[in-house]
Amino acid sequence: LAEKMPLKNVPIKEALAKMQEMAKKEPNSHIMKPDFRVAMADLIRHHVNASAINNDDLDATFDAVDYDSSGALSRGEWSVGLCIFFKGTVEEKDRACFEVLDADGNASVDKAEMAEYVRPIVNAMVPPDAAVLKPMLCDHVAQTIFDKMDYDDDHKVTIEEWNRWRSNRNNVVDQTADVISTTVYAAWSKSKSRGGGGLTLSSPANQ
């Protein structure tokens, strides 16, 4: 889908800035499909041409990043999911995403902002029969990744720390999958197979 979309001609920084501007006007920074369609059409019209606009494709793009099928895109969903659709290097996309997640504008990401980032990824990975665990999984994944990025242990992640972590071939999607499969989900599966009702969460050692 991303390859055929004219959005690939739109710079990532401009696109996420447009989304952020819209989000500020909406409750909980959530963006609805009609507003998304209008905003993306404006970007396509500016960077490509009006004939490239296809509302069905724009709706499909929205649905592709609406991980919880709520009909509204959270800040985490649109900052994470839309990056692949826009133009930019890995570094440009990382910085644009970081600036969106830095909701309070203090040039760093805290644990709550990290949780907002990983929530849609967790939602997409956790199977329906384990949905009750999503809040715990999200907190655990966010804490684990945050601790790995926070090299100086000052309880915040700067863009320099983010880039340092990424330079070691880390990415949030793979790390989220690793935490879920090797620690949390494995523990839940074992507990379920034994007929237990509890789950003990423990962070894996920093890699």
Side-chain angles (χ1 to χ4, degrees):
L1 179 61
E3 279 301 312
K4 76 170 188 175
M5 289 294 293
L7 292 173
K8 65 184 178 183
N9 297 295
V10 179
I12 181 70
K13 186 176 180 65
E14 180 181 345
L16 292 192
K18 181 91 168 178
M19 296 293 290
Q20 196 161 17
E21 181 183 345
M22 278 197 303
K24 289 178 180 178
K25 302 175 183 177
E26 302 296 334
N28 302 317
S29 299
H30 287 187
I31 296 174
M32 307 302 291
K33 184 179 288 187
D35 297 327
F36 172 83
R37 190 190 299 133
V38 170
M40 295 303 100
D42 284 345
L43 290 171
I44 293 171
R45 190 176 293 109
H46 178 70
H47 288 278
V48 190
N49 56 66
S51 64
I53 298 170
N54 183 306
N55 285 332
D56 289 339
D57 285 345
L58 292 178
D59 287 349
T61 302
F62 182 97
D63 293 340
V65 298
D66 182 15
Y67 295 108
D68 58 4
S69 301
S70 67
L73 299 184
S74 67
R75 181 183 295 273
E77 286 175 325
W78 57 260
S79 63
V80 174
L82 289 177
C83 281
I84 65 170
F85 289 93
F86 298 116
K87 178 182 178 181
T89 64
V90 172
E91 292 75 16
E92 289 170 339
K93 291 183 177 184
D94 279 349
R95 177 170 286 278
C97 186
F98 182 92
E99 290 175 353
V100 168
L101 294 173
D102 180 20
D104 55 11
N106 67 348
S108 65
V109 169
D110 60 28
K111 290 177 184 177
E113 291 165 339
M114 182 67 72
E116 182 74 10
Y117 183 54
V118 304
R119 185 171 293 112
I121 304 172
V122 171
N123 286 341
M125 290 184 178
V126 176
D129 64 340
V132 68
L133 297 179
K134 285 183 179 181
M136 285 190 297
L137 289 172
C138 181
D139 290 344
H140 185 58
V141 168
Q143 181 71 59
T144 301
I145 295 176
F146 184 91
D147 288 344
K148 290 182 178 184
M149 286 188 180
D150 185 18
Y151 289 98
D152 58 7
D153 296 319
D154 64 350
H155 309 295
K156 61 184 180 181
V157 172
T158 63
I159 186 62
E160 290 77 19
E161 288 175 313
W162 183 291
N163 288 338
R164 177 181 173 185
W165 183 79
R166 290 281 283 131
S167 70
N168 291 322
R169 298 185 178 180
N170 294 311
N171 68 77
V172 173
V173 173
D174 288 346
Q175 287 285 305
T176 298
D178 182 62
V179 173
I180 291 175
S181 63
T182 64
T183 60
V184 186
Y185 190 71
W188 175 79
S189 297
K190 183 182 294 185
S191 174
K192 184 178 180 182
S193 67
R194 292 177 177 177
L199 172 65
T200 300
L201 301 182
S202 59
S203 298
N206 288 350
Q207 297 178 358

